[in-house]
Amino acid sequence: MSYCSFYSCYLIRSLQEGHSNKTYVGSTPNPIRRLRQHNGELTQGAYRTRKLRPWEHVLVIYGFPSKKHALQFEWAWQKPLQSRHVKCVADTNFFKERLKKSSNRSANSVLTKMRAAQLLLNIVPFSLLPLKLRFVIPTMQVMFFNDGITLPKQIHWSVGPIQDLVKQNTSIEKDILKAFVIPDTKPMYCYICTESIEKDDALDYVLCDQCTDMTSHTSCLSKAFSDQGIPVYGYCPNCTKLLVWGDLIKASKLRNKLVEDGISFDLEEEPLLDQDDSSSSIIESDSDSTTSSVINLTLLD
């Protein structure tokens, strides 16, 4: 089973004088290195942004369960009004109306891309994913949440440099692995069904990262979190902390990676180079299969 630490989509804007409202949307597992490519500091790809260098990060959306999810979101963010997910939304929808108004003035402005993100994050299937937003420029967070804009409960946001975010993400993953390799003298039992759990069957269970007493079979907690048919979020049955289903599954995948490899792996390892036209191979389908795959991959890819 594949595991990637950081699937993300990003919005950058030009720092060239007179072009600060020119933007570019892309996807990458390594936003820091990708920006260096856009700015010509590294080779490989990013040829579409050469003329308006240098660039800076505005917003990074991360937490996608797979590369496929990130590419689907990237395509929709680049061309929101052409996305079949947006076409299904009524023209009277608040987010869609705002997006159309700004798109008519400038399809690639910062404001238009912010409004496109607002819309996408509030419609299925993206509204069901365990996504997180990182506003690199503080004023952009103010712009995004202007007029009382809200997001689904499981989608969180923060403000700060991308470098700090990547370090924090790496630290969280290392903590998960360190806790996993500590020898257990006590047997594990499911908090819900009370049946035994095998520690090395990493994909068979999830656990609360706040309390140490709630470990559950994946299937048991999935049923408890599936009031709407699809597990999105719920509350720890022991400590009542809000738990995001996708984050629980990601942690299980990380532990499973350790089990499969037999040893720990370098969480800071450089991923493969991104290709500037990576999204060109992802074409939106008119069938329901795309939506189904988004939901299924959220459970267990």
Side-chain angles (χ1 to χ4, degrees):
M1 175 173 295
S2 62
Y3 178 86
C4 180
S5 174
F6 201 89
Y7 290 111
S8 69
C9 290
Y10 61 88
L11 174 67
I12 57 176
R13 72 173 179 181
S14 174
L15 288 173
Q16 203 173 106
E17 187 175 354
H19 295 283
S20 61
N21 209 26
K22 298 293 178 66
T23 66
Y24 179 87
V25 167
S27 65
T28 179
N30 191 327
I32 296 175
R33 188 188 61 196
R34 189 58 176 155
L35 183 63
R36 295 183 66 195
Q37 289 177 322
H38 282 298
N39 285 330
E41 298 173 22
L42 298 175
T43 59
Q44 301 290 332
Y47 63 89
R48 297 179 187 174
T49 53
R50 283 182 296 180
K51 292 183 179 180
L52 294 177
R53 290 172 178 165
W55 297 82
E56 67 174 350
H57 279 121
V58 174
L59 170 64
V60 175
I61 300 176
Y62 63 104
F64 294 95
S66 73
K67 180 179 180 180
K68 181 176 181 179
H69 292 83
L71 290 176
Q72 288 174 336
F73 189 91
E74 176 194 14
W75 194 97
W77 201 3
Q78 290 173 342
K79 306 172 183 179
L81 296 178
Q82 296 180 38
S83 168
R84 69 184 184 86
H85 303 301
V86 174
K87 287 180 180 179
C88 293
V89 177
D91 289 338
T92 55
N93 177 278
F94 171 74
F95 295 105
K96 191 171 182 178
E97 284 185 333
R98 283 160 52 96
L99 174 60
K100 281 187 173 182
K101 287 179 181 178
S102 57
S103 293
N104 290 335
R105 292 192 292 269
S106 178
N108 285 315
S109 69
V110 174
L111 178 61
T112 298
K113 290 306 177 185
M114 286 291 191
R115 289 182 173 178
Q118 292 170 349
L119 172 59
L120 294 173
L121 293 169
N122 277 284
I123 63 173
V124 173
F126 305 116
S127 62
L128 301 176
L129 297 180
L131 301 180
K132 299 172 180 63
L133 284 64
R134 181 70 163 198
F135 296 96
V136 183
I137 303 174
T139 54
M140 295 301 158
Q141 174 259 325
V142 177
M143 175 192 290
F144 189 93
F145 290 107
N146 192 23
D147 298 328
I149 298 298
T150 60
L151 294 172
K153 196 165 189 174
Q154 86 283 1
I155 297 181
H156 302 156
W157 60 271
S158 61
V159 180
I162 291 297
Q163 291 83 352
D164 292 350
L165 175 64
V166 173
K167 289 179 182 178
Q168 179 184 15
N169 186 67
T170 300
S171 177
I172 291 172
E173 291 184 319
K174 287 183 176 179
D175 288 343
I176 291 173
L177 291 178
K178 287 177 183 177
F180 183 65
V181 298
I182 295 176
D184 254 337
T185 56
K186 298 189 300 181
M188 294 172 60
Y189 295 96
C190 176
Y191 191 92
I192 296 175
C193 75
T194 70
E195 296 288 331
S196 64
I197 292 176
E198 291 295 329
K199 183 176 181 179
D200 285 346
D201 293 338
L203 295 177
D204 189 46
Y205 66 91
V206 293
L207 51 88
C208 177
D209 60 359
Q210 178 162 300
C211 69
T212 58
D213 297 324
M214 202 297 289
T215 303
S216 168
H217 287 115
T218 304
S219 57
C220 291
L221 198 63
S222 172
K223 293 176 182 176
F225 282 11
S226 300
D227 293 339
Q228 305 299 322
I230 300 168
V232 177
Y233 68 86
Y235 297 91
C236 173
N238 182 61
C239 71
T240 70
K241 178 193 176 184
L242 176 69
L243 299 177
V244 178
W245 182 252
D247 292 344
L248 297 177
I249 294 300
K250 182 180 179 181
S252 293
K253 287 182 180 180
L254 178 60
R255 290 189 290 267
N256 186 67
K257 175 71 175 176
L258 180 59
V259 171
E260 287 186 340
D261 286 0
I263 57 173
S264 181
F265 61 100
D266 186 0
L267 294 171
E268 299 178 0
E269 180 182 355
E270 289 285 315
L272 296 176
L273 289 174
D274 305 302
Q275 297 299 317
D276 196 44
D277 59 349
S278 60
S279 62
S280 62
S281 61
I282 302 298
I283 301 176
E284 288 205 327
S285 168
D286 290 330
S287 69
D288 290 333
S289 59
T290 306
T291 302
S292 299
S293 66
V294 168
I295 302 307
N296 292 336
L297 284 168
T298 308
L299 304 180
L300 279 176
D301 180 15

